[in-house]
Amino acid sequence: MDDIPPYPPIDPTTFDLIVIGTGLPESIIAAAASTASKSVLHLDPNPFYGSHFSSLPLADLPSFLSSHSTSPSPPRSPSSDDPNEFSLLEFATRPLYSFIDISTFSPNLLDQHSRKFNLDVAGPRVLFCADKSIELLLRTGTNQYMEFKSVDATFVGDNKGNLWSVPDSRAAIFKDKSLGLVEKNKLMRFFKLVHGHLAGEQDVKISEEDLQSPFVDFLNKMGLPPKIKSFILYAIAMADYDQEDTGVCRDLLKTKDGIDQLALYNASIGRFQNASGAFLYPIYGQGELSQAFCRRAAVKGCLYVLRMPVTALLVDKDTGCYKGVRLASGQDIFSQKLILDPTFKVTLPLGSSPPLPLKEKLPFFSLKDDKGKIARGICITKTSLKPDISNFLVVYPPRSLFPEQVTSIRLLQIASNLAVCLPGMFVLYISALCNDDDQGKKLIHAVMNTLLTVPLDSESNAAVQSETAEIGSAVQDETSESSSGGPSDSGEEKPTLLWSALYSQELTLGQVDFICSTPMPDGKLNYNDLIDTTFKIFQEIYPEEEFFPETSLENPEVDGDASPET
Amino acid sequence: MHGRPRKAPKPEDEAASSAKAQKLRAVQTQFFSFHHNKIYTKEAVELSAKLLEINPESYTAWNYRKLAVEHYLNLPDCNPDSIKSVLDDELRVVENALRQNFKSYGAWHHRKWVLSKGHSSIDNELRLLDKFQKADSRNFHAWNYRRYVAESMKRSEQDELKYTEDMIYTNFSNYSAWHNRSILLSALFEKKAGGFLLKEKVLPEEYEFIHQAIFTDPDDQSGWFYHLWLLDQTVTTDSPLLASSWPGHGSDVLLVGDRCYNGSAFSPFSALHSDSGSFPIVLYFNQPVGGVNSSTVTVECGFNKNEDLFWKPLSASNSQTARVWVAHLKVPSSDLHSTVEVSVGHSKGIISTRGFVYSHPSMFSFKVHVQPMERDSSQVSVAENISLREENFKVYGTQSEESIIDSFDQLIIKNGHETTASNWRFEALAKEIECFRELLSLVDCKIGKLTLARLLKAYDAMSYPFANKLVHSEEVLELYSDLMKLDPTHYQFYKDEHSIVLLQKVTSSKESLLQHCFQYKDSASSAICDPICLRLNNLSLSRMGAFEKLLWVQMLDLSHNELQSIEGLEAMQLLSCLSLRNNKLRSLTALEPLRKLKSLRILDISYNQIGNQSIDTTRYVCSSPLSHSVGSELNRDETVTSDVALINNWEAFFIFKDFNLNQLDIVGNTIADEKFKSVLVKIMPKLKQLDGKLLD
């Protein structure tokens, strides 16, 4: 960061809102506030948009991750009072990533083309064709800055390396080769029941009692066999935790929520004519989404300054109220409100409590980062996991890879036609919720070992290998003996790993407290929960303003543009 | 494209359409003047294109364009380039018309015509079709045209089969795609004709395929039609077979001049009264066939020349194909004991309506004993007065059971050569039965029940020649009874099926059949031996069936049923006495099958509903009103010379004029007033008794 040019002074120096960090929630808030005619300054210490939601070149990803892995530079002199009426609260950074493990098996090839890669920091992630992010994009016209392609299929994986397609529609059930006739009938009847329920048909109403009961109990009551239950719970409703083990399940789905998930999935299929599956993925990676909302904000007058670190918070000496921020350039900028990305935390002087007036003014809004962690992995290969199809999702339901697996593991394969990697290559994003780094690593490795060949000739990889071998041994045995069964690519080589990055990410939630913080990327597949939280934060800071009022629609004819290009 | 509710037109729509009509009228007037004056200038041809763009249904305009094309192609300076440009223009006009209405018959037809001129790249046509079929995958015009294109470019059936598969995978609710599949497979079967192996391999795969649709969505009907087609392909043997005959193989037939005969050695089942000097040989095939004649069927006997035999098809329509064929052997007047040998299909020529050749030559023989007339026939006829009343019947005793066993078994023709080839059919049916039992255990659906009933019935029919019993008939009857309750809209259909299965059950074994056999014993009759009457009364039958087992019947009681039709009864050539009392026959045309029963003397149609409806609906039920024979042999001279009353009752005239009845009961029908009765007497001068009253 030595080559950063001298900071130009920012003018004006007073804003309604300062937003620090260009992650998706911050960008949406900046766009929403600008739309509500607030003057907004949007800063980011990074030279790129997206913060923890960005898509980065191959070489930049490791440095970004490690820059957030340990508390960097110790804060300078603690809260040295300025000669003016403010006291300074130093920003500290929170370590958000840990256990970063980068392995390169093909250094020359990848180094030369680092910029051809756009790797999502918060992968795997997709947009459901009918979810809140798509609605928001359409409603705000932000879709005009982006293009999407369809993620064509969803598979459920097993520990033998098979990928079973998920019968998620009438046509898919008909076509499916793995389901028996009885299973097909039961599944289709279940879909019809849900459809009838959602359409408000009187004779197929699901009772209130059932709606309040656990979804898994309802599926049992419907007599659905285990395989189908697993499809519905983990590959359609996208449950994270083992729904049949209440001891470990932290997100037991109610029938009502399960049905809502099915409705979302169902509405997503076929919503756009050239999207064959339920999901969309942005060309150039998920980072495009943050950038698109920033452009939307900029159109509405938001001022953008990248590569601009912020060093301290300015607080009124008497009241303790927030007044503004001090930039790395030394300039002080003032605003009514402040939104911080989750990287930053404010270290209060020892013994002092948050200024009372502010605390009373803003009700406590959940921030507890005890929700565990999420393990993420990015792998680059030269062959697709499945022939003839390049962009797809794979779900490994709890216990599908090894008995102690309590969370679903999701894998998203994205091909070069989405401009995320070199032509002919594939990027695999893997994630799983976990309690700690070791558990997370075990989950990601289990998937990698089932699906990929990890070359042994890399020195830097020795440590990974030994661990891999240990964890994967049980899995490996079964794989070898069953290589002939199922629709897997039996006889074909498993794709060889070229490069991988494994890391654990903290799951911090949004916070509206002494200061407002946005959440980290969550463990979900789409942005629904994040958008909800973002909306709540916006409402907290601007309770009187509408979140993108309908009238803000600039061009009502852009609707169709959200559909992926042909 | 589908499932869109019809909306009443709004005023602005109506205004728009009347504006369109205005415009159209102007263009049309101009167009007609060009057409009539045979003007084919560029301007004139363009006007027709304009007209077709507005109204693609204008046939005259399409025909005009055809003439114009011919005109251009016959010009002296015609060269390949100009031909190409003319035909390209046509294709463009058709495409524009189809864009306006892709279901325009005229436009599709015109395109075919252009293609037949040998122009246009066929690949281009397929590309166009892909576009249309993507827009509406069920558009049958496009599918029809696709078949035409595929044929003219000699695209392989396999490629097209793959295409239908893709379409079905996209959305299996597609009648057109399933239908096309059945057409393609039929073509493939035919190409390998005689090869059972192909069907044996393909059909189980197709069953597997359709199961996916049926189980995924049992309510979707498109799949059911295809399943029905598969079932038909499984059940029907390609080559027609002789199912039964009269007389049966190895039987003894006694022919007597009058109704009384001596010699108890003969079963009343095979004794036949003949006053016409001939007796019939009846061949009953398992499917309609044509080409039965004295060269394909040879009859060897001492008293008739084979070449003199005239084989006649017995069917409701006038077609030259039928399941039942009859020929009459002349009986010599002297005492005779002779053996008759009948060989069927030893020389090729018998062909099923589907085009398959009868390929299982069979032979049967029987003995004929002739007992010449002992008494004056006129004397007998006067005394004759058959009254099918309860007190006149007695249960047929066991005294001559042996003979009935023989005659019963003789009716069945065993086709042993079919057994080995049919194993896969059994397997396929057994598998389907299992599959549908499973479906019904999951959901209670009508079509599932109906299919199971059809499968069980087919399975029974197939195994009958070997097992000699119908193991599933009770279950099938129950299924149809269920369906009548579940689906009242189609009550009559289920009822008919129920009746046929019931009749098959009754006729399936000697024991059950005997329960319905009674000896007719009239206290007034002086006959030494009493005739046998088959009584199928009070069974609530709505249709008749199982004719192949009933060819021997001479006296049949069908009273107190719910018969609306007696279709197929023409097969029972020996029938001389028939009661249809208390049924639901609604018209005289319903009696049509009886016209072919030359030995019928006594008929009871009392207490039916003939004449209740002024419009005879049976005319609409017939397969084709054009093929219906009533009135088709209209002989003007005959009608003109007849009484005026006959003209007013021409239907009665055409039905009854061929009857040879002695005795008729018609009371209890709306039509049967005194005037009508007097007409009947005129039509049938031989009638001796009407409604129990002796006629002068």
Side-chain angles (χ1 to χ4, degrees), chain A residues 332-411:
Chain A
D332 289 343
I333 308 281
F334 304 96
S335 71
Q336 301 282 319
K337 312 275 182 179
L338 175 71
I339 299 282
L340 284 176
D341 94 6
T343 313
F344 301 98
K345 65 181 178 191
V346 179
T347 43
L348 294 174
L350 255 117
S352 74
S353 61
L356 272 174
L358 203 70
K359 202 174 180 182
E360 279 164 18
K361 199 175 154 201
L362 297 168
F364 182 74
F365 186 77
S366 70
L367 168 85
K368 285 281 172 237
D369 37 0
D370 63 354
K371 235 204 159 186
K373 295 185 166 197
I374 180 161
R376 299 194 193 273
I378 305 174
C379 301
I380 297 173
T381 65
K382 251 196 212 159
T383 33
S384 173
L385 293 176
K386 209 160 170 67
D388 308 329
I389 178 162
S390 39
N391 302 315
F392 57 86
L393 179 75
V394 181
V395 177
Y396 287 92
R399 286 178 282 120
S400 62
L401 287 176
F402 53 94
E404 302 81 36
Q405 179 201 349
V406 297
T407 54
S408 305
I409 310 171
R410 300 190 193 106
L411 180 150

Side-chain angles (χ1 to χ4, degrees), chain B residues 573-644:
Chain B
Q573 284 291 309
L574 306 189
L575 217 52
S576 65
C577 173
L578 171 67
S579 170
L580 290 164
R581 194 185 179 89
N582 273 306
N583 274 287
K584 292 185 174 168
L585 298 174
R586 289 191 195 157
S587 67
L588 290 173
T589 31
L591 301 175
E592 164 81 5
L594 303 182
R595 291 177 62 221
K596 307 235 162 77
L597 300 180
K598 298 299 175 205
S599 6
L600 192 63
R601 297 290 174 272
I602 296 156
L603 176 65
D604 186 350
I605 48 169
S606 58
Y607 302 101
N608 274 279
Q609 300 166 1
I610 300 170
N612 275 14
Q613 278 157 313
S614 53
I615 293 166
D616 174 10
T617 48
T618 44
R619 292 190 164 272
Y620 308 109
V621 179
C622 286
S623 49
S624 157
L626 296 175
S627 70
H628 194 71
S629 60
V630 175
S632 59
E633 322 116 76
L634 184 122
N635 183 333
R636 278 175 197 284
D637 301 336
E638 206 172 356
T639 320
V640 170
T641 54
S642 302
D643 197 291
V644 182

Side-chain angles (χ1 to χ4, degrees), chain A residues 286-298:
Chain A
Q286 294 288 346
E288 289 294 295
L289 213 50
S290 305
Q291 204 167 330
F293 276 102
C294 288
R295 286 183 70 176
R296 176 78 172 81

